[in-house]
């Protein structure tokens, strides 16, 4: 699959006219939802096109664009000419004639999908035809062999990474494995210079189209594997990667199979990021990791963290090896093909896991922050519960709180002033009618939506934190109330205060 079948990426004049035409016809995320209605809109994300085909039987400009660019239907030349600069789109390769008649039906050469930015921006994601959602087995690929170099659009993993990324203004950002360019599109909004890399030249070409059609600044595009395209002395303030993290028995699909054994690709990325980060910089990855017989998965991940970096690793899901193999067989559309080929592929997957003694695979996020601290803080945890996206700001604040804790010993902590974070509630758990709760849970409504068990001192402490009294003074008052020796209480409580700060229930005032 070369890039020759793709629209020209150096025709900014045509791309700008195309963008104007798309916006003029309300080919936007909001416009699409209004035209299709929520059920058909959501069905598209399940790779089901029938409801959307039914909803676009009209002849408005928006019907035309949805049929052309999202549903990949041929549309008569005359209808397209009412909406788009047809000659320019044909000449620059956005459209092609379907048959011999130049005045006959036209078809799009790429999938173009409206994508709403976080500030209400109207952006577009370009991807290979039929691959906007749902993996290689997505829309339009039924019965088709999955192409190895296919470039996918935005999936759940793409939006997860975009949401967890720390969005402070920076000078240099790297999007490694850019694909359709979605992470680069977000990054150019807050980074002065963005470098987008990919092993697949087709992806780099498509990234250029995504950025141009979205009216965004360009990124520097570099072809190559992992950190190869990064020059020796080059460092970044932000590195993001939604890499080909799938642990599979062979490199088959470039967008997902890293081609290194087991979870080596994710490990290499994480290990290699440390020396490419500027002081204070963040590296954020989506990753899969092996749960190997006789090994603690958390120890495995701790060993990946490069020197000089704090890390926060969150396991969001674990699948056993059969669920995992089936997930990716379906993603490639293998379940729709020949039964014996499916069985052979499934077996190859299980053979590979057996040989590596892998029992399960974890899915999650890895965030590194370069601090140079002699004793880095590394948190590896399981949090499969719902969270509030975008989480980027909560992630930035997590690392800021780690800095605070590192620089405050227990005496300094007790001298400090704290405020209860926004939207924390207290739940009391115990048998109905009981005078005292068995335990108290503090729960966050924001960010990670954490819940943590505290004792009555912890709950009382958090409740009083409004920034006015020092932590030590609050404990002295609590000691009086509960008839406890204030010295002992001051002695045993800092650990609990540390946890409440680390998890974001209370914040330094
Ligand atoms: C899962 S896709 C992510 C695409 C996009 N960044 C997103 O978030 O949707 C992974 C991308 O990594 C690229 N890739 C695969 N192997 C690579 C490697 N060794 N080095 C760099 N990129 C690679 C693929 O071509 C693909 O575009």
């Amino acid at each position: 699959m070369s890039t020759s079948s793709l629209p020209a990426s150096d025709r900014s004049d045509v791309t700008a006219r195309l963008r104007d035409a798309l916006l003029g016809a309300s080919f936007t995320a909001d416009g699409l939802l209004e035209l299709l209605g929520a059920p058909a809109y959501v069905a598209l994300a399940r790779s089901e096109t029938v409801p959307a085909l039914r909803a676009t039987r009209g002849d408005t400009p928006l019907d035309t664009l949805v049929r052309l660019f999202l549903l990949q239907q041929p549309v008569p030349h005359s209808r397209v000419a009412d909406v788009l600069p047809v000659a320019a789109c044909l000449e620059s390769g956005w459209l092609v004639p379907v048959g011999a008649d130049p005045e006959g039906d036209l078809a799009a050469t790429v999938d173009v999908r409206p994508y709403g930015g976080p500030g209400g921006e109207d952006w577009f994601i370009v991807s290979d035809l039929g691959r906007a959602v749902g993996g290689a087995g997505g829309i339009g690929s039924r019965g088709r062999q999955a192409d190895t170099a296919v470039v996918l659009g935005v999936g759940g993993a793409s939006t997860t990474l975009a949401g967890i990324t720390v969005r402070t203004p920076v000078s240099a950002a790297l999007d490694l494995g850019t694909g359709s360019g979605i992470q680069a599109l977000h990054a150019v909004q807050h980074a002065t210079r963005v470098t987008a890399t990919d092993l697949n030249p087709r992806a780099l070409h498509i990234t250029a189209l995504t950025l141009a059609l979205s009216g965004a600044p360009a990124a520097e595009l570099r072809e190559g594997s992992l950190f190869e395209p990064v020059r020796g002395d080059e460092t970044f303030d932000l590195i993001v990667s939604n890499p080909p993290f799938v642990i599979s028995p062979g490199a088959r699909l470039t967008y997902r199979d890293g081609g290194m054994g087991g979870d080596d690709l994710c490990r290499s990325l994480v290990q290699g990021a440390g020396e490419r980060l500027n002081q204070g910089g963040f590296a954020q990855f989506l990753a899969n990791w092996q749960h190997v017989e006789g090994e603690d998965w958390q120890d495995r991940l701790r060993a990946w963290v490069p020197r000089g970096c704090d890390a926060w690793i969150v396991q969001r899901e674990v699948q056993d090896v059969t669920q995992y193999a089936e997930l990716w067989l379906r993603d490639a559309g293998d379940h729709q093909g020949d039964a014996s080929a499916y069985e052979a592929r499934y077996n190859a997957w299980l053979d590979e896991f057996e040989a590596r003694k892998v029992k399960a695979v974890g899915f999650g996020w890895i965030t590194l922050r370069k601090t140079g601290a002699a004793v880095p803080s590394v948190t590896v945890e399981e949090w499969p519960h719902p969270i509030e996206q975008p989480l980027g700001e909560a992630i930035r604040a997590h690392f800021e709180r780690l800095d605070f804790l590192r620089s405050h010993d227990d005496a300094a902590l007790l001298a400090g002033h704290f405020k209860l974070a926004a939207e924390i509630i207290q739940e009391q758990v115990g048998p109905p009618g009981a005078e005292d709760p068995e335990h108290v849970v503090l729960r966050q409504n924001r960010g990670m939506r954490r819940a943590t068990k505290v004792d009555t001192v912890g709950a009382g402490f958090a409740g009083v934190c409004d920034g006015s009294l020092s932590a030590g003074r609050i404990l002295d008052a609590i000691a009086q109330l509960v008839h406890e020796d204030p010295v002992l209480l001051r002695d045993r409580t800092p650990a609990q205060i540390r946890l409440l700060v680390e998890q974001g229930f209370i914040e330094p005032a």
Side-chain angles (χ1 to χ4, degrees), residues 36-67:
L36 300 182
Y41 186 79
V42 175
L44 276 180
R46 298 191 303 267
S47 307
E48 294 295 346
T49 51
V50 173
L53 283 167
R54 293 170 63 86
T56 53
R57 286 181 293 198
D59 56 6
T60 67
L62 188 53
D63 288 309
T64 298
L65 294 177
V66 174
R67 289 197 151 240

Side-chain angles (χ1 to χ4, degrees), residues 26-44 55 62 66 70 114:
S26 298
F27 187 62
T28 60
D30 289 345
L32 205 59
L33 182 61
E34 194 168 321
L35 173 72
L36 300 182
Y41 186 79
V42 175
L44 276 180
L62 188 53
V66 174
L70 252 71

Side-chain angles (χ1 to χ4, degrees), residues 222-494:
R222 295 192 206 156
E223 189 180 329
S225 180
L226 300 175
F227 289 106
E228 267 168 28
V230 176
R231 289 187 284 272
D233 58 346
E234 212 176 358
T235 50
F236 300 89
D237 307 299
L238 175 70
I239 298 176
V240 289
S241 186
N242 167 16
F245 52 65
V246 179
I247 301 169
S248 54
R252 184 165 157 232
L253 297 166
T254 311
Y255 73 84
R256 59 164 225 201
D257 303 316
M260 291 168 86
D263 51 17
D264 275 357
L265 183 128
C266 289
R267 182 182 51 74
S268 307
L269 264 181
V270 175
Q271 286 179 337
E275 58 185 336
R276 271 104 186 171
L277 275 181
N278 290 327
Q279 188 72 6
F282 285 94
Q284 300 192 266
F285 306 99
L286 298 186
N288 280 186
W289 44 80
Q290 299 177 157
H291 285 227
V292 180
E293 231 172 273
E295 181 191 73
D296 178 349
W297 69 270
Q298 296 183 320
D299 288 346
R300 180 180 192 82
L301 285 161
R302 266 188 212 100
W304 290 9
V305 177
R307 239 179 348 151
C309 290
D310 284 352
W312 184 15
I313 299 174
V314 182
Q315 178 166 278
R316 296 286 292 156
E317 190 185 350
V318 184
Q319 290 195 353
D320 70 47
V321 289
T322 62
Q323 291 172 305
Y324 191 80
E326 286 161 29
L327 172 69
W328 298 112
L329 287 163
R330 286 180 171 270
D331 169 85
D334 292 332
H335 60 304
Q336 292 159 342
D338 176 62
S340 60
Y342 177 79
E343 196 181 317
R345 284 195 198 280
Y346 199 151
N347 264 315
W349 224 299
L350 295 185
D351 285 345
E352 170 84 2
F353 281 139
E354 210 170 271
R356 293 180 177 276
K357 296 194 164 54
V358 173
K359 304 170 300 181
V361 177
F363 295 65
W365 328 315
I366 298 179
T367 303
L368 305 177
R369 181 169 177 250
K370 180 95 164 242
T371 61
V375 184
S377 163
V378 176
T379 307
V380 185
E381 64 174 323
E382 182 151 28
W383 188 254
H385 309 292
I387 51 115
E388 183 195 38
Q389 282 275 40
L391 197 67
E393 177 48 29
I395 291 184
R396 189 202 58 73
H398 166 93
F399 285 90
E400 194 175 79
R401 292 193 304 268
L402 291 185
D403 284 347
F404 172 85
L405 290 174
R406 198 174 2 234
S407 62
H408 286 70
D409 62 12
D410 286 357
L413 209 59
L414 290 174
H417 293 237
F418 298 90
K419 277 200 320 208
L420 188 68
E423 297 191 42
I424 306 286
I425 56 161
Q426 172 179 309
E427 293 169 359
Q428 308 209 355
V429 182
E435 209 162 283
D436 291 319
E438 240 163 49
H439 59 261
V440 176
V441 171
L442 297 183
R443 189 179 291 281
Q444 301 165 342
N445 261 328
R446 312 300 306 270
M448 288 290 277
R449 299 203 162 120
R450 285 188 190 283
T452 191
K453 228 174 160 181
V454 285
D455 61 16
T456 44
V457 170
F461 178 85
V464 183
C465 280
D466 63 0
S468 56
L469 289 179
S470 71
R473 292 285 299 280
I474 294 175
L475 289 184
D476 294 344
I478 293 177
Q480 240 182 10
L481 276 176
V482 298
H483 308 295
E484 194 173 330
D485 180 346
V487 176
L488 291 180
L489 195 62
R490 275 179 175 252
D491 215 36
R492 73 173 168 89
T493 313

Side-chain angles (χ1 to χ4, degrees), residues 149-155 157-159 161-162 175-184 197-200 203 224-227 229 241-245 253-260 265 286:
V150 73
V151 177
L152 256 54
V154 171
S158 325
T159 51
L161 178 61
D175 171 19
L176 198 153
T178 190
S180 67
I182 172 183
Q183 312 302 339
T197 72
D198 208 288
L199 191 62
N200 182 359
S225 180
L226 300 175
F227 289 106
S241 186
N242 167 16
F245 52 65
L253 297 166
T254 311
Y255 73 84
R256 59 164 225 201
D257 303 316
M260 291 168 86
L265 183 128
L286 298 186

